[in-house]
Amino acid sequence: MKERIMGLLRELTPSSEATSPFVSTFHSLGVYILRRNGVSVGAPRNFSIFDKEDSLSLMKSAIKDLGLDPKQFQPAKMQSLISRYKGELIGCEEFAATAGEDFFPGTLSRIWNKYEEYLKEQKALDFSDLIYKTVVLLKTNKDVREYYQNLWQYIMIDEYQDTNKGQYEFAKILASKHKNICVIGDIDQCIYSWRGADFRNITKFERDYPDNVLVVLEENYRSTQTILEAAANIIEKNKMRKPKRLIAKKEKGAEISLFEAMNEQEEADFVAGKLKEIFSRAGGNEAEAAVLYRANYQSRAIEEACLKQGVSYHVLGTQFYKRKEVKDIFSFLRAAINPESMLDIKRIINVPPRGIGKVTILSHFSGKELPTGAREKVAVFLKLLGDIKKRMATDKLADIIRFIMAESGYQKFLEEGGDDDRERLENLKELVTIAGRYGHLSGEEAAEKMLEDAALMSDQDSMGKNEGAQPVRLMTVHSAKGLEFNNVFIVGLEDGLFPHSGFGDGGPEKEEEERRLFYVAVTRAKEKLFLSFSVSRTVFGAKQLNIPSRFLSDIPEHLMKLEGRDKKKDVIEYL
């Protein structure tokens, strides 16, 4: 953004007169202010910034040192709660004052206090502190507040619909003296409420700045008329939004393709086949394409189909077989088959947390005497590996993986976690589905074959990335925000999957965010849009019959054509 702004300024203003605006993210701006003025709010000039992994490690230490059970007070969940409170401008002391006598809030308060002690000892701030402490500083220190209000008399903010309460207050304080503030945002593209983003900030803006001037940017330079008409019909069903027209700069363009698959394999084969056609007849930017899905686990079938048909691809995020939870289950299988595989044992010895460290297990295997408590924990873990090994003589691989998930406590651990953990659980359910392919083999033979296939698939993928064709990008819709592609495939358009029913509470707000997410997915396409759904999908090893996504019926019939059929049908009747 800074490069583009400076390039435009050089065009508009003689270089001798050009000045450089301050361009940064909210968090970078927080660092800039705190480094210079933050001592009074506990931010020494040379403070370290702890990323999510660093702060999670500190949270684990806080829970452990308080003598609490990490199974009951999961570090990642505690970290997420504290981050959300800081985003709402609630600090440790404010939370403690309202925690009362209730067990969970009181315990969270103790954990938070210990966590803050550790941050202070290490002269560190976590990512949420960069906004929270800056707002506290600006509210409590008049001299600092007035200095920055005078330094930046004009403020512009992009992607305003993605701001949380802390960022809203941050901007409001800086702009409160001169009130020269310009924000760019679109309620229809607010898809990060799970991160604390609040699209209502746009409404609050109008309230706080009653003399505002509203400029509606309706002309779209990216997508064809067909794609924009579909998008407009989708998003207008939402009630919590500001109405707007979508005017296409481009011509009508191709119809939207809709494909009904019998199962996820047929859907993936259709996508890979179409990608192969696109890549064979076009080159350069014309061949750019993306496959978008609602949940990460959906990438697995697409990855396999692309490999089978020789389509070069790149997964944004982590490939299915390289995801942590999948590799954890693989380690349980390998350790059960080979109890001397120390790499696998060290990986899973405390997954999920069971109070056994790597030093403890190494001491056990080297023959050292362990304290009674540690010895008992190790015995329980080794018995689990033995039970997995026994089941390999009688059970199918899918049932063995279910057993590992249940008996290790991994499934319960993920079910009680946050949205990220629920997504990881979905990936493990997909692994159970994959294991069903090996039902004709004995448990141990099936496990070895699946581990071998997964390793070979990962190897094939790494070799394919450097081949000539521009790879197609596979990603979640959330990852695609801000990007654009000539050809876009949106897969898995089934009720329960997209709109997704597995995250958070339901209700109108949840459905409206899912609709905004679909709107964002559709408007990533510049020239051609492909939509697909599957009549059945295997979930956790069982066939599931699906209803097509309710969002599909919002697209007018005349904009779509059915793929793989002799004649066009009434899409509303079809759905």
Side-chain angles (χ1 to χ4, degrees):
M1 181 176 283
K2 188 171 185 178
E3 288 175 1
R4 293 166 77 176
I5 288 171
M6 294 309 299
L8 287 168
L9 285 176
R10 280 191 291 270
E11 289 179 16
L12 297 169
T13 311
S15 58
S16 59
E17 299 176 17
T19 57
S20 297
F22 187 95
V23 182
S24 81
T25 64
F26 273 102
H27 290 88
S28 295
L29 179 55
V31 173
Y32 179 85
I33 293 173
L34 290 173
R35 290 262 188 238
R36 289 156 178 78
N37 313 98
V39 174
S40 64
V41 291
R45 184 175 179 82
N46 61 340
F47 65 82
S48 299
I49 302 171
F50 278 10
D51 62 17
K52 190 172 183 178
E53 188 174 333
D54 296 328
S55 61
L56 181 60
S57 177
L58 219 57
M59 189 67 68
K60 289 176 181 177
S61 297
I63 292 168
K64 179 182 178 183
D65 291 350
L66 287 170
L68 298 170
D69 184 357
K71 292 181 182 178
Q72 184 177 9
F73 298 96
Q74 297 170 28
K77 189 172 184 178
M78 300 302 104
Q79 180 190 44
S80 177
L81 285 170
I82 290 170
S83 177
R84 179 63 71 96
Y85 280 123
K86 287 182 178 180
E88 294 293 313
L89 299 179
I90 299 170
C92 182
E93 293 180 1
E94 294 95 323
F95 181 80
T98 60
E101 300 298 322
D102 290 342
F103 174 69
F104 183 82
T107 307
L108 176 59
S109 179
R110 290 171 56 210
I111 293 169
W112 192 347
N113 189 58
K114 179 64 72 174
Y115 171 71
E116 292 295 333
E117 283 181 21
Y118 290 158
L119 283 172
K120 187 175 181 180
E121 285 174 7
Q122 300 187 41
K123 294 184 177 179
L125 304 184
D126 65 23
F127 212 59
S128 301
D129 283 328
L130 302 179
I131 304 296
Y132 169 70
K133 286 187 178 291
T134 306
V135 173
V136 171
L137 173 66
L138 294 173
K139 282 185 172 182
T140 58
N141 191 313
K142 180 182 177 184
D143 292 340
V144 173
R145 180 172 64 250
E146 290 185 347
Y147 174 79
Y148 288 107
Q149 286 173 342
N150 289 323
L151 179 63
W152 297 310
Q153 296 179 29
Y154 298 88
I155 296 169
M156 303 179 72
I157 303 172
D158 194 18
E159 301 289 6
Y160 196 66
Q161 76 281 348
D162 293 333
T163 56
N164 62 17
K165 181 177 179 180
Q167 292 163 337
Y168 184 89
E169 289 297 321
F170 192 172
K172 183 179 176 182
I173 292 168
L174 289 178
S176 63
K177 184 173 183 179
H178 299 284
K179 292 185 168 53
N180 295 319
I181 182 169
C182 172
V183 302
I184 301 96
D186 182 1
I187 287 176
D188 294 338
Q189 295 193 52
C190 183
I191 59 174
Y192 296 116
S193 66
W194 48 279
R195 289 182 185 171
D198 189 350
F199 65 85
R200 296 174 187 83
N201 284 349
I202 292 179
T203 308
K204 286 161 64 179
F205 181 91
E206 293 178 310
R207 180 198 68 199
D208 290 341
Y209 305 94
D211 296 329
N212 71 82
V213 176
L214 177 65
V215 179
V216 183
L217 303 176
E218 296 179 319
E219 193 164 15
N220 182 291
Y221 294 84
R222 174 193 293 152
S223 305
T224 64
Q225 288 181 24
T226 297
I227 292 168
L228 285 186
E229 186 179 344
N233 277 274
I234 292 161
I235 201 62
E236 72 178 11
K237 303 295 189 300
N238 273 4
K239 303 259 191 284
M240 294 177 280
R241 64 184 294 266
K242 288 183 171 294
K244 66 173 180 291
R245 295 182 304 158
L246 293 176
I247 303 170
K249 186 75 172 175
K250 290 184 175 180
E251 296 180 351
K252 183 177 180 181
E255 289 176 299
I256 297 167
S257 292
L258 176 64
F259 181 71
E260 173 196 25
M262 293 308 298
N263 52 48
E264 64 266 36
Q265 282 77 35
E266 186 179 18
E267 179 183 49
D269 288 340
F270 165 77
V271 171
K274 284 294 179 183
L275 287 167
K276 198 168 184 178
E277 285 180 24
I278 291 167
F279 277 55
S280 65
R281 69 170 181 259
N285 289 333
E286 293 179 16
E288 67 179 11
V291 181
L292 310 182
Y293 35 80
R294 178 62 182 85
N296 265 310
Y297 77 86
Q298 293 174 260
S299 77
R300 192 270 313 167
I302 307 294
E303 289 180 63
E304 291 189 359
C306 286
L307 283 172
K308 185 170 66 177
Q309 299 197 38
V311 176
S312 181
Y313 71 91
H314 175 63
V315 180
L316 269 72
T318 308
Q319 294 154 18
F320 183 80
Y321 288 115
K322 292 182 180 178
R323 290 174 180 138
K324 178 188 180 300
E325 57 277 11
V326 173
K327 294 179 74 173
D328 286 342
I329 297 299
F330 283 175
S331 284
F332 274 107
L333 292 171
R334 279 193 293 261
I337 295 169
N338 175 18
E340 296 180 1
S341 178
M342 288 307 299
L343 187 66
D344 289 304
I345 288 173
K346 284 192 287 184
R347 179 183 181 93
I348 59 174
I349 188 62
N350 209 37
V351 175
R354 53 174 65 88
I356 310 176
K358 294 177 184 177
V359 173
T360 299
I361 197 68
L362 289 172
S363 297
H364 168 80
F365 278 98
S366 63
K368 293 181 180 178
E369 186 68 24
L370 297 175
T372 303
R375 188 166 62 249
E376 290 174 353
K377 290 176 181 176
V378 169
V380 170
F381 172 73
L382 295 178
K383 181 179 183 302
L384 173 62
L385 294 184
D387 289 343
I388 296 168
K389 175 72 172 177
K390 286 178 188 175
R391 286 182 173 264
M392 287 183 177
T394 58
D395 292 3
K396 298 294 186 185
L397 181 57
D399 292 327
I400 293 168
I401 294 176
R402 287 193 188 94
F403 175 80
I404 293 170
M405 290 168 61
E407 294 303 311
S408 68
Y410 210 158
Q411 182 169 344
K412 184 179 179 184
F413 175 74
L414 296 179
E415 285 173 343
E416 294 176 349
D419 286 350
D420 288 345
D421 289 323
R422 294 189 197 102
E423 188 165 304
R424 290 166 62 197
L425 182 59
E426 285 195 336
N427 291 335
L428 292 186
K429 289 181 177 180
E430 178 70 2
L431 187 63
V432 172
T433 297
I434 298 167
R437 298 181 188 172
Y438 302 88
H440 61 289
L441 301 173
S442 69
E444 185 168 334
E445 188 181 2
E448 289 176 338
K449 179 61 175 163
M450 184 171 72
L451 292 168
E452 177 186 318
D453 289 348
L456 290 173
M457 183 176 169
S458 297
D459 187 54
Q460 281 180 302
D461 177 70
S462 62
M463 288 189 296
K465 283 181 186 175
N466 295 320
E467 293 175 1
Q470 178 179 349
V472 61
R473 260 68 66 86
L474 313 183
M475 68 187 88
T476 64
V477 181
H478 283 101
S479 300
K481 188 163 184 286
L483 303 177
E484 56 185 42
F485 306 90
N486 273 3
N487 304 280
V488 168
F489 295 76
I490 307 175
V491 300
L493 286 167
E494 301 133 30
D495 266 6
L497 183 53
F498 202 171
H500 202 295
S501 60
F503 296 94
D505 297 327
E509 288 197 15
K510 169 65 179 172
E511 181 168 333
E512 290 213 357
E513 176 144 351
E514 288 291 307
R515 189 181 295 278
R516 292 195 295 269
L517 192 59
F518 185 47
Y519 169 80
V520 166
V522 167
T523 53
R524 298 312 93 196
K526 295 193 286 185
E527 301 292 341
K528 177 66 178 175
L529 178 63
F530 298 85
L531 308 175
S532 62
F533 67 92
S534 178
V535 172
S536 70
R537 192 174 293 273
T538 306
V539 179
F540 211 12
K543 287 282 185 187
Q544 176 178 289
L545 295 178
N546 302 310
I547 299 172
S549 172
R550 67 198 71 175
F551 298 154
L552 288 173
S553 61
D554 295 334
I555 302 175
E557 174 201 352
H558 69 273
L559 299 179
M560 291 199 286
K561 69 172 184 179
L562 301 178
E563 291 279 352
R565 294 175 182 272
D566 294 333
K567 62 179 182 178
K568 191 171 179 179
K569 292 176 64 179
D570 184 327
V571 175
I572 302 301
E573 178 187 335
Y574 172 71
L575 296 173

